[in-house]
Amino acid sequence: MSRAFFARAATVVAQQLLNKILVSADGRAGRIVEVEAYLGAVDPASHTFRGRTLSNAVMFGPPGHMYVRFTYGMHWCCNCVSGPVGGGCGVLIRALEPLHGLEQMRAVRPRITRDRDLCRGPARLTEAMGISGIQNGIDLVGASEGFTIVDDGMAPPRNPVGGPRIGISQGKDLPLRWSVPGNRHVSGTASQQH
DNA sequence: ATGACGATTGAG
DNA sequence: TCAATCGTCATA
């Protein structure tokens, strides 16, 4: 399997995830507007680059499951495993446009003043949606534990915005970050915003 | 056993 | 620009 193959496969899944809706166990929901693909063994930025460990095991499992990772000693990040089984590939969900349950989101994120910022960033959205290590490994397709990704009929953007991934020290060369054009709920650095 | 480093965020 | 904060993993 070539690096190009993994890049293309994960990129397809990542782009297809745009405009789908992530729903929490208690009905909070947001439209996925920004994602990043991670390619496993061929990708130095991937948590699975150095092989399987206790904490990243979910990424080597079946696609459609949620991989949740604790980072910076205080934040959680949420991924959708993209397969194939054993590949260690996945899609990091980086931003949601809040749709339902905003009252609960505001309640758990009291310091966020603008609704636009509730799910703008990978750690912000996990807190707003009530996602933590407890959900690591759950099936997002079967929705056996409440969390799921649903399709309300809105197609993925025909021309998603592509660019380098954020917050990584290696693997910055590939354009594996994808977002919905013009969406105000997409995250980014101050210079990239405006 | 230990140290370096993170798929970030919020404050100054 | 920089501190907060601690689990994980490579190295010894």
Side-chain angles (χ1 to χ4, degrees):
Chain A
M1 293 293 183
S2 69
R3 180 188 175 100
F5 173 84
F6 280 100
R8 179 153 60 182
T11 291
V12 168
V13 174
Q15 294 185 28
Q16 289 297 313
L17 237 28
L18 290 174
N19 280 341
K20 297 294 185 297
I21 298 174
L22 177 62
V23 184
S24 79
D26 60 3
R28 282 171 267 180
R31 193 175 303 281
I32 299 170
V33 295
E34 180 189 357
V35 296
E36 285 177 356
Y38 285 87
L39 315 182
V42 300
D43 178 8
S46 175
H47 287 162
T48 54
F49 180 59
R50 293 178 177 80
R52 180 179 180 135
T53 65
L54 193 61
S55 67
N56 70 18
V58 171
M59 281 279 275
F60 293 89
H65 285 235
M66 182 155 65
Y67 165 58
V68 188
R69 173 77 168 207
F70 190 59
T71 188
Y72 287 106
M74 63 192 98
H75 298 304
W76 298 96
C77 288
C78 170
N79 300 253
C80 181
V81 178
S82 65
V85 172
C89 301
V91 176
L92 170 67
I93 300 176
R94 285 195 58 91
L96 305 174
E97 176 177 342
L99 295 178
H100 300 293
L102 272 71
E103 290 298 330
Q104 294 172 79
M105 293 184 189
R106 296 185 194 109
V108 295
R109 312 259 19 229
R111 314 180 88 150
I112 297 292
T113 55
R114 300 183 302 179
D115 287 350
R116 182 188 150 203
D117 293 329
L118 283 171
C119 300
R120 189 159 173 269
R124 286 172 169 174
L125 77 87
T126 54
E127 188 160 2
M129 292 288 285
I131 295 171
S132 70
I134 300 171
Q135 283 82 30
N136 188 37
I138 68 172
D139 178 8
L140 287 168
V141 178
S144 55
E145 299 189 50
F147 286 82
T148 184
I149 292 175
V150 300
D151 183 347
D152 72 339
M154 181 180 288
R158 189 171 300 277
N159 295 297
V161 176
R165 294 170 294 184
I166 293 177
I168 56 175
S169 57
Q170 301 176 69
K172 295 175 178 174
D173 51 323
L174 298 172
L176 294 173
R177 174 176 178 244
W178 301 96
S179 61
V180 175
N183 191 288
R184 300 294 291 173
H185 298 81
V186 173
S187 75
T189 65
S191 61
Q192 292 172 301
Q193 294 175 27
H194 184 244

